[in-house]
Each structure stands twice: as structure tokens, then as C-alpha cells.
Coordinates of all heavy atoms in Angstrom, one line a residue:
M1 N 149.8 68.0 69.1 CA 150.1 67.0 68.1 C 149.4 65.7 68.6 O 149.1 64.9 67.7 CB 151.6 66.8 68.0 CG 152.0 65.8 67.0 SD 151.6 66.3 65.3 CE 151.8 64.8 64.4
A2 N 149.3 65.5 69.8 CA 148.7 64.2 70.3 C 147.3 63.9 69.8 O 147.0 62.8 69.6 CB 148.7 64.3 71.9
N3 N 146.5 65.0 69.6 CA 145.2 64.8 69.0 C 145.1 64.8 67.5 O 144.1 64.8 66.9 CB 144.2 65.8 69.6 CG 144.5 67.2 69.2 OD1 145.5 67.4 68.4 ND2 143.8 68.2 69.7
G4 N 146.3 64.8 66.9 CA 146.4 64.7 65.4 C 146.3 66.1 64.7 O 146.3 66.2 63.5
Q5 N 146.3 67.2 65.5 CA 146.3 68.5 64.9 C 147.5 69.3 65.4 O 147.9 69.2 66.6 CB 145.0 69.3 65.3 CG 143.8 68.6 64.7 CD 142.5 69.4 65.1 OE1 142.6 70.3 65.9 NE2 141.4 69.1 64.4
L6 N 148.1 70.1 64.5 CA 149.2 70.9 64.9 C 148.7 72.3 65.4 O 147.8 72.8 64.8 CB 150.1 71.1 63.7 CG 150.8 69.9 63.2 CD1 151.6 70.2 61.9 CD2 151.8 69.3 64.2
A7 N 149.4 72.8 66.4 CA 149.0 74.1 66.9 C 149.6 75.1 66.0 O 150.6 74.9 65.2 CB 149.6 74.3 68.3
D8 N 149.1 76.4 66.0 CA 149.7 77.4 65.2 C 151.1 77.7 65.7 O 151.4 77.5 66.9 CB 148.9 78.7 65.3 CG 147.5 78.6 64.6 OD1 147.4 77.8 63.7 OD2 146.6 79.4 64.9
L9 N 151.9 78.2 64.8 CA 153.3 78.5 65.2 C 153.4 79.5 66.3 O 154.2 79.3 67.2 CB 154.0 79.1 63.9 CG 155.5 79.2 64.0 CD1 156.2 77.9 64.3 CD2 156.1 79.9 62.8
N10 N 152.5 80.5 66.4 CA 152.6 81.5 67.5 C 152.1 80.9 68.8 O 152.4 81.5 69.9 CB 151.8 82.7 67.2 CG 150.3 82.5 67.0 OD1 149.9 81.3 67.0 ND2 149.6 83.5 66.8
Q11 N 151.5 79.7 68.8 CA 151.1 79.1 70.0 C 152.3 78.2 70.6 O 152.3 77.9 71.7 CB 149.9 78.2 69.8 CG 148.6 78.9 69.5 CD 147.5 78.0 69.2 OE1 147.7 77.1 68.4 NE2 146.4 78.2 69.8
V12 N 153.2 77.9 69.7 CA 154.3 77.0 70.1 C 155.5 77.8 70.5 O 156.2 77.5 71.4 CB 154.6 76.0 69.0 CG1 155.8 75.2 69.3 CG2 153.4 75.2 68.7
V13 N 155.8 78.9 69.7 CA 157.1 79.6 69.9 C 156.8 80.7 71.0 O 156.4 81.8 70.7 CB 157.5 80.3 68.6 CG1 158.8 81.0 68.8 CG2 157.7 79.2 67.6
M14 N 157.1 80.3 72.2 CA 156.9 81.2 73.4 C 158.0 81.0 74.4 O 158.4 79.8 74.6 CB 155.5 81.0 74.0 CG 154.4 81.2 73.1 SD 152.8 80.6 73.8 CE 152.6 81.7 75.1
E15 N 158.5 82.0 75.0 CA 159.5 81.8 76.0 C 158.9 81.2 77.3 O 157.8 81.4 77.6 CB 160.1 83.2 76.4 CG 161.0 83.8 75.3 CD 161.7 85.1 75.7 OE1 162.2 85.1 76.8 OE2 161.7 86.0 74.9
N16 N 159.8 80.4 77.9 CA 159.4 79.8 79.2 C 158.1 78.9 79.1 O 157.4 78.8 80.0 CB 159.2 80.8 80.3 CG 160.5 81.6 80.5 OD1 161.6 81.1 80.4 ND2 160.4 82.9 80.7
R17 N 157.9 78.3 78.0 CA 156.7 77.5 77.8 C 157.0 76.1 78.4 O 158.0 75.5 78.2 CB 156.4 77.4 76.3 CG 155.2 76.6 76.0 CD 154.9 76.7 74.5 NE 153.6 76.2 74.2 CZ 153.4 74.9 74.0 NH1 154.3 74.0 74.2 NH2 152.2 74.4 73.7
L18 N 156.0 75.5 79.0 CA 156.1 74.2 79.6 C 155.3 73.2 78.7 O 154.2 73.6 78.2 CB 155.6 74.2 81.0 CG 156.4 75.0 82.0 CD1 155.8 75.0 83.4 CD2 157.8 74.4 82.1
P19 N 155.6 72.0 78.6 CA 156.8 71.4 79.1 C 158.0 71.8 78.4 O 158.0 72.1 77.2 CB 156.5 69.9 78.9 CG 155.6 69.8 77.7 CD 154.8 71.1 77.8
I20 N 159.1 71.9 79.1 CA 160.4 72.3 78.5 C 160.8 71.4 77.4 O 160.7 70.2 77.5 CB 161.5 72.4 79.6 CG1 161.1 73.4 80.6 CG2 162.8 72.6 79.0 CD1 162.0 73.5 81.8
G21 N 161.2 71.9 76.3 CA 161.7 71.2 75.1 C 160.6 70.8 74.1 O 160.9 70.3 73.1
S22 N 159.3 71.2 74.4 CA 158.3 70.8 73.5 C 158.4 71.6 72.2 O 158.0 71.1 71.1 CB 156.9 71.1 74.1 OG 156.7 72.4 74.4
D23 N 159.0 72.8 72.2 CA 159.2 73.5 71.0 C 160.2 72.8 70.1 O 160.0 72.8 68.9 CB 159.6 75.0 71.3 CG 160.7 75.1 72.3 OD1 161.1 74.1 72.9 OD2 161.3 76.2 72.4
Y24 N 161.2 72.1 70.6 CA 162.1 71.4 69.8 C 161.4 70.2 69.2 O 161.6 69.8 68.0 CB 163.3 70.9 70.6 CG 164.2 72.1 71.0 CD1 164.1 72.6 72.3 CD2 165.0 72.7 70.1 CE1 164.9 73.7 72.6 CE2 165.8 73.7 70.4 CZ 165.8 74.3 71.7 OH 166.6 75.3 72.0
L25 N 160.5 69.5 70.0 CA 159.8 68.4 69.4 C 158.9 68.8 68.3 O 158.8 68.2 67.2 CB 159.0 67.7 70.5 CG 158.1 66.5 70.1 CD1 159.0 65.4 69.6 CD2 157.4 66.0 71.3
Y26 N 158.2 70.0 68.5 CA 157.3 70.5 67.4 C 158.2 70.8 66.2 O 157.8 70.6 65.1 CB 156.7 71.8 68.0 CG 155.5 72.2 67.1 CD1 154.2 71.8 67.4 CD2 155.7 73.1 66.1 CE1 153.1 72.2 66.7 CE2 154.6 73.5 65.3 CZ 153.3 73.1 65.6 OH 152.3 73.5 64.8
G27 N 159.4 71.4 66.4 CA 160.2 71.7 65.3 C 160.7 70.4 64.5 O 160.8 70.4 63.3
A28 N 160.9 69.4 65.2 CA 161.3 68.1 64.6 C 160.1 67.6 63.7 O 160.4 67.1 62.6 CB 161.6 67.1 65.7
Y29 N 158.9 67.7 64.2 CA 157.7 67.3 63.4 C 157.6 68.2 62.2 O 157.3 67.7 61.1 CB 156.4 67.4 64.2 CG 156.3 66.3 65.2 CD1 156.1 66.5 66.5 CD2 156.3 64.9 64.8 CE1 155.9 65.5 67.5 CE2 156.2 63.9 65.7 CZ 155.9 64.2 67.1 OH 155.8 63.2 68.0
F30 N 157.9 69.4 62.3 CA 157.8 70.4 61.2 C 158.9 70.0 60.1 O 158.6 70.0 58.9 CB 158.0 71.8 61.7 CG 157.8 72.8 60.6 CD1 156.7 72.9 59.9 CD2 158.9 73.7 60.3 CE1 156.5 73.9 58.8 CE2 158.8 74.6 59.3 CZ 157.6 74.7 58.5
I31 N 160.1 69.7 60.6 CA 161.2 69.4 59.6 C 160.8 68.1 58.9 O 161.0 67.9 57.7 CB 162.5 69.2 60.4 CG1 163.0 70.6 60.9 CG2 163.6 68.6 59.5 CD1 163.3 71.6 59.8
D32 N 160.2 67.1 59.7 CA 159.8 65.9 59.1 C 158.7 66.1 58.0 O 158.7 65.5 56.9 CB 159.3 64.9 60.2 CG 158.9 63.6 59.7 OD1 159.8 62.9 59.0 OD2 157.7 63.1 59.9
Y33 N 157.8 67.0 58.3 CA 156.7 67.4 57.4 C 157.3 68.0 56.1 O 156.9 67.6 55.0 CB 155.7 68.4 58.0 CG 154.9 69.1 57.1 CD1 153.8 68.6 56.4 CD2 155.2 70.4 56.7 CE1 153.0 69.3 55.5 CE2 154.5 71.2 55.8 CZ 153.4 70.6 55.2 OH 152.7 71.3 54.3
L34 N 158.2 68.9 56.3 CA 158.8 69.5 55.1 C 159.6 68.5 54.2 O 159.5 68.5 53.0 CB 159.8 70.6 55.5 CG 159.2 71.9 56.2 CD1 160.3 72.8 56.6 CD2 158.3 72.6 55.2
T35 N 160.3 67.6 54.9 CA 161.0 66.6 54.1 C 160.1 65.6 53.4 O 160.3 65.3 52.2 CB 161.9 65.7 55.1 OG1 162.8 66.6 55.8 CG2 162.7 64.7 54.4
K36 N 159.0 65.2 54.0 CA 158.0 64.3 53.4 C 157.2 65.0 52.3 O 156.9 64.4 51.3 CB 157.1 63.7 54.4 CG 157.8 62.7 55.3 CD 156.9 62.1 56.4 CE 157.6 61.1 57.2 NZ 156.8 60.6 58.3
T37 N 156.9 66.3 52.5 CA 156.1 67.0 51.6 C 156.8 67.6 50.4 O 156.3 67.5 49.3 CB 155.3 68.1 52.3 OG1 154.6 67.6 53.4 CG2 154.3 68.8 51.4
Y38 N 158.0 68.1 50.6 CA 158.8 68.8 49.6 C 160.1 68.1 49.2 O 160.8 68.6 48.3 CB 159.1 70.2 50.0 CG 157.8 71.0 50.2 CD1 157.3 71.1 51.5 CD2 157.2 71.6 49.2 CE1 156.1 71.9 51.7 CE2 156.0 72.3 49.3 CZ 155.5 72.4 50.6 OH 154.3 73.1 50.8
A39 N 160.5 67.0 49.8 CA 161.7 66.3 49.6 C 162.9 66.8 50.3 O 162.9 68.0 50.7 CB 162.0 66.2 48.1
E40 N 163.8 65.9 50.6 CA 164.9 66.3 51.4 C 165.8 67.4 50.7 O 166.4 68.3 51.4 CB 165.8 65.1 51.7 CG 166.9 65.4 52.7 CD 167.7 64.1 53.1 OE1 167.0 63.0 53.1 OE2 168.9 64.2 53.4
E41 N 165.8 67.3 49.4 CA 166.6 68.3 48.6 C 166.1 69.7 48.8 O 166.9 70.7 48.9 CB 166.6 67.9 47.1 CG 167.4 66.7 46.8 CD 166.6 65.4 47.1 OE1 165.4 65.5 47.3 OE2 167.2 64.3 47.2
A42 N 164.8 69.9 48.9 CA 164.2 71.2 49.1 C 164.5 71.7 50.5 O 164.9 72.9 50.6 CB 162.7 71.1 48.9
L43 N 164.5 70.8 51.5 CA 164.9 71.3 52.8 C 166.4 71.7 52.9 O 166.7 72.7 53.5 CB 164.6 70.1 53.8 CG 165.0 70.5 55.3 CD1 164.2 71.6 55.8 CD2 164.8 69.2 56.1
Q44 N 167.2 70.9 52.2 CA 168.6 71.2 52.1 C 168.8 72.6 51.4 O 169.7 73.4 51.9 CB 169.4 70.1 51.4 CG 169.5 68.9 52.3 CD 170.2 67.7 51.5 OE1 170.4 67.8 50.3 NE2 170.5 66.7 52.2
H45 N 168.1 72.8 50.4 CA 168.2 74.1 49.7 C 167.8 75.2 50.6 O 168.4 76.3 50.6 CB 167.3 74.1 48.4 CG 167.2 75.4 47.7 ND1 168.3 75.8 47.0 CD2 166.3 76.3 47.6 CE1 168.0 77.0 46.4 NE2 166.7 77.3 46.8
F46 N 166.7 75.0 51.3 CA 166.2 76.1 52.3 C 167.3 76.4 53.3 O 167.6 77.5 53.6 CB 164.9 75.6 53.0 CG 164.5 76.4 54.2 CD1 164.0 77.7 54.0 CD2 164.7 76.0 55.4 CE1 163.7 78.5 55.1 CE2 164.4 76.8 56.5 CZ 163.8 78.0 56.3
L47 N 167.8 75.3 53.9 CA 168.8 75.5 55.0 C 170.1 76.2 54.5 O 170.7 77.1 55.1 CB 169.2 74.2 55.7 CG 168.0 73.6 56.4 CD1 168.4 72.2 56.9 CD2 167.6 74.4 57.6
T48 N 170.5 75.8 53.3 CA 171.7 76.4 52.7 C 171.5 77.8 52.3 O 172.3 78.7 52.7 CB 172.2 75.6 51.4 OG1 172.4 74.2 51.8 CG2 173.4 76.2 50.8
N49 N 170.4 78.1 51.7 CA 170.0 79.5 51.3 C 169.9 80.3 52.6 O 170.5 81.4 52.6 CB 168.8 79.5 50.5 CG 168.4 80.9 50.0 OD1 167.7 81.6 50.8 ND2 168.8 81.2 48.8
H50 N 169.2 79.9 53.5 CA 168.9 80.7 54.7 C 170.1 80.9 55.5 O 170.3 82.0 56.1 CB 167.8 79.9 55.6 CG 167.3 80.7 56.7 ND1 166.6 81.9 56.5 CD2 167.4 80.5 58.1 CE1 166.3 82.4 57.7 NE2 166.8 81.6 58.7
S51 N 171.0 80.0 55.6 CA 172.2 80.2 56.4 C 173.2 81.1 55.8 O 174.2 81.6 56.4 CB 172.9 78.8 56.7 OG 173.4 78.2 55.6
G52 N 173.0 81.4 54.5 CA 173.9 82.3 53.8 C 173.7 83.8 54.0 O 174.6 84.6 53.6
Y53 N 172.7 84.1 54.7 CA 172.4 85.6 55.0 C 173.1 86.0 56.2 O 173.2 85.2 57.2 CB 170.9 85.8 55.1 CG 170.1 85.7 53.8 CD1 169.2 84.6 53.6 CD2 170.3 86.6 52.8 CE1 168.5 84.5 52.4 CE2 169.6 86.5 51.6 CZ 168.7 85.4 51.4 OH 168.0 85.3 50.3
L54 N 173.5 87.3 56.2 CA 174.2 87.8 57.4 C 173.3 87.9 58.6 O 173.7 87.5 59.7 CB 174.7 89.2 57.1 CG 175.6 89.9 58.1 CD1 176.8 89.1 58.5 CD2 176.0 91.3 57.7
I55 N 172.1 88.2 58.4 CA 171.0 88.3 59.5 C 169.9 87.4 59.0 O 168.9 87.9 58.4 CB 170.6 89.7 59.8 CG1 171.8 90.6 60.1 CG2 169.6 89.7 60.9 CD1 171.5 92.0 60.3
P56 N 170.0 86.1 59.2 CA 169.0 85.1 58.6 C 167.5 85.4 59.0 O 166.6 85.1 58.2 CB 169.5 83.8 59.0 CG 170.8 84.0 59.6 CD 171.0 85.4 59.9
S57 N 167.3 85.9 60.2 CA 165.9 86.0 60.6 C 165.1 87.0 59.8 O 163.9 86.8 59.7 CB 165.9 86.5 62.1 OG 166.5 87.7 62.2
F58 N 165.8 87.9 59.1 CA 165.1 88.8 58.2 C 164.7 88.2 56.9 O 163.9 88.8 56.1 CB 165.9 90.1 58.0 CG 166.0 91.0 59.2 CD1 167.2 91.2 59.8 CD2 164.9 91.6 59.8 CE1 167.4 92.0 60.9 CE2 165.0 92.4 60.9 CZ 166.2 92.6 61.5
F59 N 165.3 87.1 56.6 CA 165.1 86.5 55.2 C 164.4 85.1 55.3 O 164.5 84.3 54.3 CB 166.4 86.4 54.5 CG 167.0 87.8 54.3 CD1 168.0 88.3 55.1 CD2 166.6 88.5 53.2 CE1 168.6 89.5 54.9 CE2 167.2 89.8 53.0 CZ 168.1 90.3 53.8
L60 N 163.7 84.8 56.4 CA 163.1 83.5 56.5 C 162.1 83.2 55.4 O 162.1 82.2 54.8 CB 162.4 83.4 57.9 CG 161.8 82.1 58.3 CD1 162.9 81.0 58.4 CD2 161.1 82.2 59.6
N61 N 161.2 84.2 55.2 CA 160.2 84.0 54.1 C 160.8 83.9 52.8 O 160.3 83.1 51.9 CB 159.1 85.1 54.2 CG 158.2 84.9 55.3 OD1 157.8 83.8 55.7 ND2 157.7 86.0 55.9
R62 N 161.8 84.7 52.5 CA 162.4 84.7 51.2 C 163.1 83.3 50.9 O 163.0 82.7 49.9 CB 163.5 85.8 51.1 CG 164.2 85.9 49.8 CD 165.2 87.0 49.8 NE 165.7 87.2 48.5 CZ 166.3 88.3 48.1 NH1 166.5 89.3 48.9 NH2 166.8 88.3 46.8
S63 N 163.8 82.8 52.0 CA 164.4 81.5 51.8 C 163.4 80.4 51.6 O 163.6 79.5 50.8 CB 165.2 81.1 53.1 OG 166.3 82.1 53.2
A64 N 162.3 80.5 52.3 CA 161.2 79.5 52.2 C 160.6 79.5 50.8 O 160.3 78.5 50.2 CB 160.1 79.7 53.3
R65 N 160.4 80.7 50.3 CA 159.8 80.8 49.0 C 160.7 80.2 47.9 O 160.2 79.6 46.9 CB 159.5 82.3 48.6 CG 158.2 82.8 49.2 CD 157.8 84.2 48.6 NE 157.2 84.9 49.7 CZ 157.9 85.9 50.4 NH1 159.1 86.2 50.1 NH2 157.3 86.5 51.4
H66 N 162.0 80.4 48.1 CA 163.0 79.9 47.1 C 162.9 78.3 47.1 O 163.0 77.7 46.1 CB 164.4 80.4 47.4 CG 164.7 81.7 46.9 ND1 165.0 82.0 45.6 CD2 164.6 82.9 47.6 CE1 165.2 83.3 45.5 NE2 165.0 83.9 46.7
A67 N 162.8 77.8 48.3 CA 162.9 76.3 48.4 C 161.6 75.6 48.2 O 161.5 74.5 47.7 CB 163.5 76.0 49.8
F68 N 160.5 76.2 48.8 CA 159.2 75.5 48.8 C 158.1 76.2 48.0 O 157.0 75.7 48.0 CB 158.7 75.4 50.3 CG 159.8 74.8 51.2 CD1 160.3 75.6 52.2 CD2 160.2 73.5 51.1 CE1 161.3 75.1 53.1 CE2 161.2 73.0 51.9 CZ 161.7 73.8 52.9
S69 N 158.4 77.3 47.4 CA 157.4 78.1 46.7 C 156.2 78.6 47.6 O 155.2 78.9 47.1 CB 156.8 77.3 45.5 OG 157.9 77.0 44.6
K70 N 156.5 78.7 48.9 CA 155.5 79.2 49.9 C 156.3 79.9 50.9 O 157.4 79.6 51.2 CB 154.7 78.1 50.5 CG 153.8 77.4 49.6 CD 153.0 76.3 50.3 CE 152.1 75.5 49.4 NZ 151.4 74.4 50.0
D71 N 155.7 81.0 51.5 CA 156.4 81.6 52.6 C 156.3 80.7 53.9 O 155.6 79.8 53.9 CB 155.9 83.0 52.9 CG 154.5 83.1 53.4 OD1 154.1 82.2 54.2 OD2 153.8 84.1 53.2
F72 N 157.1 81.1 54.8 CA 157.3 80.2 56.0 C 156.0 80.1 56.8 O 155.7 79.0 57.3 CB 158.4 80.8 56.9 CG 158.8 79.9 58.0 CD1 159.7 78.8 57.7 CD2 158.4 80.1 59.3 CE1 160.1 78.0 58.7 CE2 158.8 79.2 60.3 CZ 159.6 78.2 60.0
F73 N 155.2 81.1 56.9 CA 154.0 81.0 57.7 C 152.9 80.3 57.0 O 152.0 79.7 57.6 CB 153.5 82.4 58.1 CG 154.5 83.0 59.1 CD1 155.4 84.0 58.7 CD2 154.6 82.6 60.4 CE1 156.4 84.5 59.5 CE2 155.5 83.1 61.3 CZ 156.4 84.1 60.9
T74 N 152.9 80.2 55.7 CA 152.0 79.4 54.9 C 152.3 77.9 55.1 O 151.4 77.1 55.1 CB 152.0 79.8 53.4 OG1 151.7 81.2 53.3 CG2 151.0 79.0 52.6
L75 N 153.6 77.6 55.2 CA 154.0 76.2 55.4 C 153.4 75.7 56.7 O 153.0 74.6 56.8 CB 155.5 76.1 55.4 CG 156.2 76.4 54.1 CD1 157.7 76.5 54.3 CD2 155.9 75.3 53.1

């Protein structure tokens, strides 16, 4: 992010990645992007929809499509 470009999601989400906590910082920037691009209501819709599933990880793309009209990896 320091050079103005975001890394791919698979470059950020890794176990034991240093510096510690950078994945949370990256996530905060992503949430900020979603809020600014799609409005806070869309983010709230995504979080509410996604948290309603028994096993949410299987429905990430479905929840994103409902809220943002794009799957999670396209975002």
C-alpha cells in the first residue's frame, strides 16, 4: 500500500506473515474502500447477509454479489 498499489489478496492472506498485524491493516483499507465505493449501507448489507449463514466461509462470494453486485475476488 505504501507505493499506492494494493497487493493481491493471496499475497496478503498468509499464515505467519511479517510484519505481524499487516493483514488487519490491509483489511481495514479494504473495508474503507468498500464503504467509499459502494456506501456504508452496502457494507452493512454484506456483513448482515454473510453473518447469517451457518458456515459463512462457503458463502463469501454469494454475500458479496448480493451487496456489491460483484464476487469477493473481483472486488
